[in-house]
Amino acid sequence: MLCTRLTNARFVTMDPDHPVAHDLGIWRGRIVGLDEAVTSLPAREVIDLRGATVLPGFIDAHVHLAWTGFQQNTPSVAGCTRIDDVLAVVEETVLRKGLPGAWVSLAGYDQRPLGRHLTAAELDMVSHGHKVFMLHESGHGCVVNSAVLDLLPADLPHDNGFLDEGAMGAARALRLPHSQTELAGAIGRAARTCLAEGVTACAEAGIGGTLFGHSPVELGAYQLAYEQGLLPLRVQLMVSADRLRPAAAHATDGIPRALDLGLRTGFGGDRLSVGALKIFTDGGMMARTAALSSPYEGLDHSGEVQDDPEVLADTIVDGHLAGWQLAVHAIGDRAADIALDALERAQRLRPRPGARHRIEHAGLIRPDQLPRFARLGVSAVVQPSFLRYFGDDYAAIMGEERAPWLYRGRAFLDHGIPLVGSSDRPVADGSPLRAIQFMVERASESGQVIGPDEAITVDEALRAYTVAGALACHWEDSLGSLTPGKLADLVVLGDDPRSADPSRIGDIEVVATYVDGRETGASAL
């Protein structure tokens, strides 16, 4: 007997052997058959989906759950377009805090609508004796007041209170890490938001690190969230390369650096597991720290790399030698050169054709770099919503020649490079459907079309958020398509993205989300 039979629906399976179905049978959390194979079988529960469209649950291959959850409960200056408005929000937040000398955190800081960066002196005017830390929207910088600067080394570089990349990490390190209980609550809040948008599995893009980590024992917080029933979707954890340390392993293992006990990609179960090793090579475009091969349009610099290129390359090689899948953050084309050179060296030293290394973001990729991606078998894990929401700004700072190379789609596919969809939540909107719309239209919110030759089809965009996401996370045996034997994770939609007008795809209702064959309650029929 089936546990559940879903009927009267258009199941878009993403499986070429059985692309569309009308019935789907579930037993003990797995898909056991489609159409005639299950239609006549008895079931404890039969659910009529009333003609809805059903897809495999979306996979978001690059998110920040804890950061998202904390941001949801943090005062924000997002949307402020004047310095005075930002300062008013800061002062209001400070006055609510109470005890002088306490830390006050705010989110949503972005210098672009303000026309310049806020200064420490301006924050001092509204700080009332508190330590103010305001995180940049990109996560690659912060602005702080003098009370924080006074605690930092005098030679730490900053721009009148704005700290980026490693300098920001030094400011964050002044504070106690979040407790595992706090982290578990934040993770749970973000997970419920993901489910409401049809995401049933995701890759957390870096735990335990200087830049994006929240605690040196952050993995334990995800375990706690799972044990407390706060983790209603599947999560794969990327571990920050900051956590690698020299390993006195046997010489034949060839492992120069590792996590304690040799932990690496693949450890865990189908709900919570360890994924790739996360390595940062550069910053971000919003903060103008993505490393380019030529300067930003209208600026006199070309971004920055996170460390000496040789140090970065050695970390990439050591991670490969230790058996990790690698997720290398490289937004600018200069950073991508560093990553590709290192991955090529690593594969030469110890060939691992099945490693499925990934370039996270791949924000600006030159035409000459595309064949190298393909030769190395590297996936491009992109964030289409970056251009949907920030595209006008990004196109302007790249200039006419480079703007068409931003967050590519068609060029990756035409070169045989796996194209993987993701959000980088909370940096940008997390909805896969809105991202899919952009991948098809390539239009920013203002209507500007950015790199029209990079547009892909709806089916290709859906694949980026299902089949390709599963492959990038080594989940292809259990997720990514509605195939008998795989886990019954699926999303019920109010319309079929393949037949809807492309301009409406982002507005399609997520009617219900199922994990392990059970409706999660994040949305309802």
Side-chain angles (χ1 to χ4, degrees), residues 281-285 289-297 301-305 309 328-342 359-370 372-373 397-398 401-408 412:
T281 63
D282 68 345
M285 286 187 187
T289 54
L292 310 179
S293 56
S294 56
Y296 288 89
E297 192 78 8
H301 70 87
S302 53
E304 59 189 82
V305 291
V328 185
H329 168 114
I331 293 184
D333 60 328
R334 178 159 54 107
D337 280 334
I338 293 170
L340 293 169
D341 287 347
I359 299 290
E360 306 299 302
H361 307 296
L364 185 78
I365 300 301
R366 302 186 310 270
D368 65 285
Q369 292 173 315
L370 294 166
R372 298 192 69 196
F373 268 76
I397 60 174
M398 288 301 108
E401 179 186 7
R402 293 182 293 183
W405 306 343
L406 287 163
Y407 294 91
R408 292 175 178 272
F412 285 134

Side-chain angles (χ1 to χ4, degrees), residues 347-409:
Q347 289 285 15
R348 200 163 51 240
L349 289 170
R350 181 177 293 173
R352 287 175 52 210
R356 298 186 200 170
H357 296 321
R358 310 156 40 139
I359 299 290
E360 306 299 302
H361 307 296
L364 185 78
I365 300 301
R366 302 186 310 270
D368 65 285
Q369 292 173 315
L370 294 166
R372 298 192 69 196
F373 268 76
R375 278 199 311 273
L376 289 166
V378 174
S379 297
V381 183
V382 299
Q383 296 77 41
S385 287
F386 278 17
L387 290 193
R388 177 181 172 93
Y389 295 102
F390 317 135
D392 295 347
D393 174 60
Y394 286 12
I397 60 174
M398 288 301 108
E400 186 175 351
E401 179 186 7
R402 293 182 293 183
W405 306 343
L406 287 163
Y407 294 91
R408 292 175 178 272

Side-chain angles (χ1 to χ4, degrees), residues 164-392:
D164 61 26
E165 308 305 339
M168 178 197 68
R172 292 186 64 183
L174 294 172
R175 309 179 65 175
L176 287 173
H178 291 282
S179 72
Q180 288 192 344
T181 300
E182 290 176 305
L183 275 162
I187 291 161
R189 286 192 295 275
R192 291 190 294 275
T193 301
C194 291
L195 284 174
E197 294 176 337
V199 175
T200 57
C202 65
E204 163 64 58
I207 62 168
T210 302
L211 282 182
F212 287 90
H214 295 87
S215 166
V217 291
E218 195 167 357
L219 191 150
Y222 281 84
Q223 288 182 281
L224 181 63
Y226 175 64
E227 292 163 359
Q228 293 182 340
L230 300 175
L231 200 65
L233 75 172
R234 305 184 198 283
V235 179
Q236 188 178 85
L237 302 171
M238 298 184 202
V239 178
S240 173
D242 296 358
R243 292 290 142 196
L244 290 181
R245 63 179 73 189
H250 193 281
T252 59
D253 291 336
I255 298 174
R257 282 188 281 174
L259 292 188
D260 289 345
L261 301 179
L263 189 72
R264 60 176 172 82
T265 302
F267 181 81
D270 61 28
R271 278 298 187 118
L272 183 63
S273 60
V274 174
L277 185 73
K278 178 71 176 292
I279 301 169
F280 285 92
T281 63
D282 68 345
M285 286 187 187
M286 291 170 65
R288 311 313 195 221
T289 54
L292 310 179
S293 56
S294 56
Y296 288 89
E297 192 78 8
L299 299 176
D300 61 358
H301 70 87
S302 53
E304 59 189 82
V305 291
Q306 294 283 353
D307 207 331
D308 179 272
E310 278 304 308
V311 172
L312 295 171
D314 288 346
T315 301
I316 290 169
V317 171
D318 285 356
H320 173 88
L321 295 177
W324 286 89
Q325 178 191 25
L326 303 178
V328 185
H329 168 114
I331 293 184
D333 60 328
R334 178 159 54 107
D337 280 334
I338 293 170
L340 293 169
D341 287 347
L343 289 171
E344 190 169 39
R345 173 154 65 99
Q347 289 285 15
R348 200 163 51 240
L349 289 170
R350 181 177 293 173
R352 287 175 52 210
R356 298 186 200 170
H357 296 321
R358 310 156 40 139
I359 299 290
E360 306 299 302
H361 307 296
L364 185 78
I365 300 301
R366 302 186 310 270
D368 65 285
Q369 292 173 315
L370 294 166
R372 298 192 69 196
F373 268 76
R375 278 199 311 273
L376 289 166
V378 174
S379 297
V381 183
V382 299
Q383 296 77 41
S385 287
F386 278 17
L387 290 193
R388 177 181 172 93
Y389 295 102
F390 317 135
D392 295 347

Side-chain angles (χ1 to χ4, degrees), residues 20 36 57 73 89 138-139 196 216 230 237 255 284 290 294 297 319 322 328 380 385 415-416 422 464 503 520:
V20 181
E36 286 71 26
N73 279 7
V89 175
S138 67
L230 300 175
L237 302 171
I255 298 174
S294 56
E297 192 78 8
V328 185
S385 287
H415 281 79
S422 68
S503 66
T520 62

